[in-house]
Each structure stands twice: as C-alpha cells, then as structure tokens.
Amino acid sequence: MKKLKISKAFTLIESGPVVLVTTHDGKKNNIMTISWTMVMDFTPRFAITTGPWNYSFAALGKTKECVIAIPTVDMLDKVIGIGTCSGAHTDKFHKFMLTPEKGKYVRAPLIAECLANIECKVVDIVKKHNIVVLEGLAAYFDNSRKVKRTFHAVGDGTFIADGRKISRRKMMWSKITAGI
C-alpha cells in the first residue's frame, strides 16, 4: 500500500447520498446541497454537517425545521449548481427550475423533482462540530420516477452513483428492526 495524505482520508469513507436541504426563514425558501449526512439509528433521526458559512444555517437555527430532499443522478448538475451559489441573492428554486411543494408539518418546501423528501425538525445543533441533528416527521417517496439511483460525493469533486442493489436480508434478518 502507498501512503495517503491524512488530509485526504475523508475521501475513503465519505458518507452519502448527497441531499438537498430546504429551509424557509419566514420570508423565502432556500435550498442547500449537503454531502455530509448520517443516519443515527433505526428511528427517524438524522444528522447533517453545516454551519454559518451556509446561508440556510440561520434559518435552521431560527425555525428549527427543514426538509431533506433526495435527488437522483440525473439531477447531479443542478445539485452542484445549487451548492455553488448562495441563497442570499439567488432564488434557487427559480434558477434551477425546481418545484416547491407544501409539506404537512414544516414550512420548508419539499422538492417535487426529487426521489424522496423527509420533513424534519431540528432537535440539536452541536456547534463544536457543526452537526445539526434532525428528527424525521414525515417521509415521501416517488415510485413513479424512472431514475432512482442516488449519488455520493467523494469529496474531491468526483461522485459515485449507486449501482445494482444486492440483497442479503435473509442473512441479516436477526439484526433488522421489525417493520423495515
């Protein structure tokens, strides 16, 4: 094996998939791209990494709610575009031709073009590590979409698209929570 710079170690275990997080600050909707996400357990608890450098971070702190929208690989260029401009001066729904849909539990909009959306409330912000802990309130999945492959950021400007699904449910049965 060759030595890898420790500063690049995160590219070996980058989380995924890349998601879009929507907020509503009381005046307008916004979208940010987040590539560092985590499922925290079998409950609907998730974590994202973000901070004051993202325009939407203030809305997350103020409203304590958001939507995690899960895009598919056919949306990759839009997702990158969303992540490389600021919502401070850009209506990202308009610029990237995305459709906001009203949620049931939060003011932040769902994104109609995404494969799935999860309405969430903020339950904790771990400032030392820029981690926002979210609790899912409702989830939606669009089975009618032809493209269902999501994608993951490697962290160096490259992405990996999901491939073939491999089932080992029988082997894992004793560890799978009921109802999953």
Side-chain angles (χ1 to χ4, degrees):
M1 287 193 189
K2 288 186 175 183
K3 187 170 181 161
L4 178 69
K5 288 183 182 180
I6 193 65
S7 63
K8 293 186 176 191
F10 73 93
T11 66
L12 300 172
I13 58 173
E14 183 73 41
S15 62
V18 175
V19 300
L20 297 172
V21 175
T22 69
T23 55
H24 183 84
D25 65 5
K27 296 179 184 170
K28 69 178 186 171
N29 295 326
N30 194 36
I31 314 169
M32 66 177 159
T33 299
I34 299 287
S35 61
W36 291 342
T37 61
M38 181 174 73
V39 173
M40 296 187 68
D41 56 34
F42 287 105
T43 65
R45 194 147 302 204
F46 312 98
I48 60 173
T49 301
T50 187
W53 58 86
N54 277 328
Y55 178 73
S56 291
F57 184 72
L60 278 172
K62 176 182 171 184
T63 66
K64 304 283 192 242
E65 62 181 39
C66 67
V67 169
I68 298 173
I70 303 170
T72 49
V73 70
D74 58 317
M75 297 176 65
L76 178 61
D77 291 344
K78 284 185 182 196
V79 172
I80 292 169
I82 289 165
T84 56
C85 69
S86 174
H89 309 290
T90 305
D91 178 343
K92 295 184 188 185
F93 277 95
H94 177 74
K95 180 174 182 169
F96 296 100
M97 297 179 289
L98 296 172
T99 309
E101 285 192 352
K102 186 175 167 65
K104 185 174 181 181
Y105 298 99
V106 300
R107 287 187 65 191
L110 285 65
I111 300 176
E113 291 77 10
C114 284
L115 177 63
N117 287 270
I118 307 167
E119 293 185 75
C120 298
K121 69 177 178 178
V122 175
V123 294
D124 195 10
I125 297 177
V126 184
K127 290 182 181 179
K128 181 178 179 181
H129 299 289
N130 299 309
I131 297 171
V132 180
V133 180
L134 306 168
E135 182 177 326
L137 304 173
Y140 312 91
F141 189 87
D142 185 355
N143 274 313
S144 69
R145 290 208 74 212
K146 289 182 181 177
V147 178
K148 291 187 171 76
R149 293 173 59 205
T150 60
F151 56 93
H152 306 258
V154 175
D156 62 359
T158 63
F159 298 83
I160 299 170
D162 290 338
R164 185 172 62 98
K165 191 174 190 176
I166 302 168
S167 177
R168 294 294 185 268
R169 288 181 61 84
K170 287 182 182 179
M171 289 177 69
M172 300 287 301
W173 194 253
S174 67
K175 299 294 182 187
I176 299 173
T177 302
I180 300 293

